[in-house]
């Protein structure tokens, strides 16, 4: 059974640019959630999608957005990148909710 | 006070030792408690999942939840160098519809 796949694994972007990250969940999983992980703040919840609808949202600015497609694949977008957006972005999928969520390897974003 | 507190360590133990990892929390509505293991440059991997209070055992790992004290623990018996990783506690419940993570404890098991 394939795990959660995140692409790309590494990204370097310049301040002010925008970026799109992709997540393919485990087959059959309909819930996809996104997290930002930094050494200072740890893992922080960004948002969760279920059946193409955003069901939960964390406390991040509107520059962070996401969407989910009919095949449950999800993308997150960060516009007007800031240096502080440098982090590991993790995607997790589960059957219906947050319990027993399985994480991908993450996308390491560096903003210069 | 942060919702979930976890000592970041680092914690260094000799191979074969019993390891105790802990988290405290402030939200009494939390009902679901998880432990994740994260190796360097990898995503977190779910180790244990417990609902409400009590103990759960899986091989060398035991998870304990004490809701009266708002305290959860993960015990690792006969620790191995391959257990060296960062251990993250996570929890959810009540109006909190998403996982809240501790910052993780970095564990090193020395051969």
């Amino acid at each position: 059974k394939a795990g959660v796949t995140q692409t790309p694994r590494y990204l370097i972007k310049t301040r002010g640019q925008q970026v799109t990250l992709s997540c393919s969940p485990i087959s059959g999983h309909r819930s996809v959630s996104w997290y930002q992980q930094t050494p200072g703040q740890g893992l922080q919840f960004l948002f969760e999608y279920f059946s193409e609808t955003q069901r939960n949202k964390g406390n991040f600015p509107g520059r962070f957005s996401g969407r989910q497609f009919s095949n449950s694949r999800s993308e997150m977008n960060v516009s007007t990148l800031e240096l502080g957006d440098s982090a590991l972005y993790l995607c997790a999928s589960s059957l219906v909710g947050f319990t027993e969520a399985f994480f991908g390897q993450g996308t390491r974003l560096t903003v210069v | 006070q942060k919702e979930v507190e976890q000592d970041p360590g680092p914690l260094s133990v000799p191979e074969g030792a019993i390891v105790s990892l802990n988290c405290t929390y402030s939200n009494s509505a939390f009902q679901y408690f998880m432990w994740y293991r994260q190796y360097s440059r990898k995503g977190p991997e779910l180790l244990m999942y417990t609902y409400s209070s009590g103990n759960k055992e899986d091989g060398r790992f035991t998870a304990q939840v004490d809701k009266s004290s708002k305290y959860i623990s993960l015990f690792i018996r006969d620790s191995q160098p391959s257990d060296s990783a960062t251990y993250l506690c996570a929890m959810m419940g009540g109006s909190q519809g998403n996982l809240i993570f501790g910052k993780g404890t970095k564990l090193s098991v020395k051969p």
Side-chain angles (χ1 to χ4, degrees):
Chain A
K1 191 176 187 181
V4 177
T5 304
Q6 290 187 247
T7 56
R9 288 293 309 280
Y10 302 93
L11 265 179
I12 299 175
K13 289 287 189 179
T14 305
R15 266 184 305 175
Q17 287 186 313
Q18 75 163 14
V19 67
T20 299
L21 313 181
S22 180
C23 172
S24 292
I26 292 171
S27 178
H29 285 191
R30 296 167 65 189
S31 171
V32 174
S33 50
W34 289 88
Y35 294 82
Q36 182 195 67
Q37 187 175 33
T38 59
Q41 298 299 317
L43 265 157
Q44 292 186 287
F45 172 72
L46 281 155
F47 29 68
E48 185 226 359
Y49 286 86
F50 182 83
S51 292
E52 301 179 64
T53 301
Q54 187 180 88
R55 200 161 63 166
N56 282 289
K57 189 177 191 305
N59 191 25
F60 277 81
R63 299 186 297 108
F64 292 82
S65 62
R67 59 178 175 167
Q68 186 180 34
F69 302 96
S70 58
N71 62 357
S72 294
R73 190 177 72 84
S74 177
E75 289 181 346
M76 70 163 278
N77 184 274
V78 188
S79 63
T80 320
L81 284 165
E82 300 176 0
L83 294 178
D85 297 333
S86 295
L88 180 67
Y89 289 88
L90 291 157
C91 161
S93 79
S94 61
L95 276 172
V96 289
F98 289 91
T99 55
E100 299 193 272
F102 295 87
F103 282 83
Q105 302 247 50
T107 295
R108 173 76 61 185
L109 172 65
T110 302
V111 183
V112 297
Chain B
Q1 181 189 9
K2 290 188 75 69
E3 278 196 286
V4 179
E5 302 270 10
Q6 185 175 11
D7 186 336
L11 179 62
S12 183
V13 301
E15 184 175 354
I18 296 175
V19 176
S20 172
L21 303 166
N22 312 292
C23 287
T24 58
Y25 62 95
S26 58
N27 189 340
S28 57
F30 285 152
Q31 297 266 46
Y32 299 91
F33 305 92
M34 295 91 177
W35 285 96
Y36 283 84
R37 176 175 62 194
Q38 187 174 23
Y39 291 114
S40 181
R41 301 185 183 281
K42 301 282 189 182
E45 169 195 8
L46 180 64
L47 276 178
M48 305 280 285
Y49 155 48
T50 310
Y51 172 70
S52 195
S53 280
N55 293 3
K56 187 173 185 177
E57 190 172 317
D58 184 1
R60 297 185 295 111
F61 299 89
T62 299
Q64 284 186 354
V65 175
D66 181 350
K67 291 190 72 180
S68 62
S69 302
K70 298 193 184 71
Y71 188 88
I72 69 170
S73 301
L74 177 71
F75 297 95
I76 307 174
R77 290 183 298 280
D78 188 25
S79 56
Q80 303 294 310
S82 59
D83 295 328
S84 298
T86 296
Y87 289 80
L88 299 145
C89 63
M91 44 198 83
M92 63 174 286
S95 62
Q96 198 68 60
N98 54 272
L99 287 174
I100 306 294
F101 281 85
K103 288 193 176 180
T105 300
K106 188 168 184 178
L107 170 67
S108 177
V109 181
K110 304 293 186 186

